[in-house]
């Protein structure tokens, strides 16, 4: 019996060695990423191109519109109401006609929203209200900063210096460049007040 047990013992070790050789030759398959199924609609669009912006199709319409630069949640709600699109619908479920109506509602926003809701009121050049989106908004912002720098307003000078513009404290925060660190004032020649008190005692 003892001889049979000794003969049977090395068998599992041999099996492990064979498995190790097989594992070295076989390549492991990478796990496939599963696409999150949002809708049963066969025409569902996972990316919707609107106003030179790629919008995720798996977002609800209001939140999807808020991902465009220049549109927030309140403006998105006004746009959705004007376009007549259900706000609980996913952006990828909208058909081409609904996307066109949303685009038209964004283009004509100044006609149906109040004066305070647009992001460019009383334009310096035209005097009209308009709502800028995307690269137009970034370009206009850059032009306004350059104008302030050119006419040497306080805000323009602060922008030019790279400092805080809106009256924040800068003693402890917003420190940039090489001069970072605390510089202690030099003690007067007579020594500190504490040292003088000790001498009197």
């Amino acid at each position: 019996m003892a001889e049979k047990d000794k003969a049977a013992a090395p068998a599992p070790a041999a099996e492990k060695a064979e498995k190790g050789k097989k594992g070295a030759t076989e390549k492991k398959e990478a796990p496939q990423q599963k696409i999150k199924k949002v809708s049963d609609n066969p025409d569902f669009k996972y990316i919707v191109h609107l106003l030179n912006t790629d919008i995720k199709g798996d977002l609800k319409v209001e939140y999807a519109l808020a991902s465009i630069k220049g549109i927030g949640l309140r403006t998105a709600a006004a746009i959705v109401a004007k376009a007549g699109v259900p706000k609980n619908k996913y952006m990828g479920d909208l058909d081409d006609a609904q996307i066109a109506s949303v685009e038209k509602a964004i283009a004509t926003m100044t006609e149906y929203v109040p004066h305070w809701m647009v992001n460019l009121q009383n334009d310096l050049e035209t005097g009209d209200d308009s709502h800028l989106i995307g690269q137009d908004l970034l370009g206009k912002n850059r032009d306004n900063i350059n104008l302030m720098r050119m006419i040497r307003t306080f805000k323009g000078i602060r922008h030019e210096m790279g400092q805080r513009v809106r009256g924040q404290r800068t003693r402890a925060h917003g420190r940039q460049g090489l001069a970072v660190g605390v510089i202690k004032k030099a003690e007067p020649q007579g020594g500190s007040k504490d040292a003088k008190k000790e001498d009197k005692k």
Side-chain angles (χ1 to χ4, degrees):
M1 280 296 281
E3 289 177 6
K4 285 181 182 177
D5 291 339
K6 285 178 184 176
E15 286 175 11
K16 283 181 184 177
E18 286 176 15
K19 282 181 183 177
K21 288 177 184 176
K22 285 181 183 176
T25 54
E26 292 176 5
K27 290 182 180 178
K28 289 184 179 178
E29 292 182 7
Q32 292 181 349
Q33 290 182 344
K34 292 181 180 178
I35 297 171
K36 185 174 77 172
K37 192 173 183 182
V38 179
S39 172
D40 295 327
N41 183 1
D43 298 328
F44 186 82
K45 306 173 192 79
Y46 284 93
I47 297 290
V48 177
H49 193 73
L50 181 68
L51 299 169
N52 298 326
T53 309
D54 290 332
I55 303 169
K56 289 181 180 178
D58 59 355
L59 293 173
K60 297 287 177 78
V61 176
E62 280 186 11
Y63 292 98
L65 288 176
S67 65
I68 299 172
K69 195 158 193 67
I71 297 177
L73 281 173
R74 292 186 73 176
T75 25
I79 290 162
V80 167
K82 180 68 178 176
V85 175
K87 65 178 181 180
N88 290 327
K89 214 171 184 183
Y90 287 105
M91 193 71 189
D93 277 329
L94 301 184
D95 56 21
D96 294 337
Q98 287 174 320
I99 290 170
S101 69
V102 168
E103 200 165 350
K104 187 181 177 185
I106 293 169
T108 60
M109 225 175 80
T110 50
E111 295 173 11
Y112 59 88
V113 297
H115 166 80
W116 51 263
M117 209 168 181
V118 297
N119 60 14
L120 182 61
Q121 301 161 12
N122 299 325
D123 186 24
L124 280 172
E125 295 171 4
T126 61
D128 297 331
D129 294 344
S130 59
H131 196 86
L132 301 178
I133 287 160
Q135 291 300 318
D136 295 336
L137 178 61
L138 295 174
K140 187 68 178 176
N141 195 21
R142 202 180 312 113
D143 292 344
N144 288 341
I145 290 169
N146 287 337
L147 178 66
M148 286 189 288
R149 287 170 66 176
M150 190 176 69
I151 62 177
R152 308 307 289 167
T153 62
F154 176 77
K155 282 175 73 175
I157 292 164
R158 297 292 286 178
H159 273 296
E160 201 169 75
M161 292 166 63
Q163 295 288 341
R164 303 278 174 99
V165 174
R166 299 181 182 182
Q168 299 98 314
R169 289 170 66 88
T170 54
R171 180 176 177 177
H173 301 288
R175 308 181 79 163
Q176 298 168 353
L178 298 173
V180 174
V182 179
I183 300 167
K184 292 185 177 178
K185 291 181 181 177
E187 287 185 5
Q189 290 180 352
S192 64
K193 291 179 182 178
D194 297 332
K196 285 179 180 178
K197 283 178 183 177
E198 286 175 10
D199 290 342
K200 285 179 182 178
K201 288 177 182 178

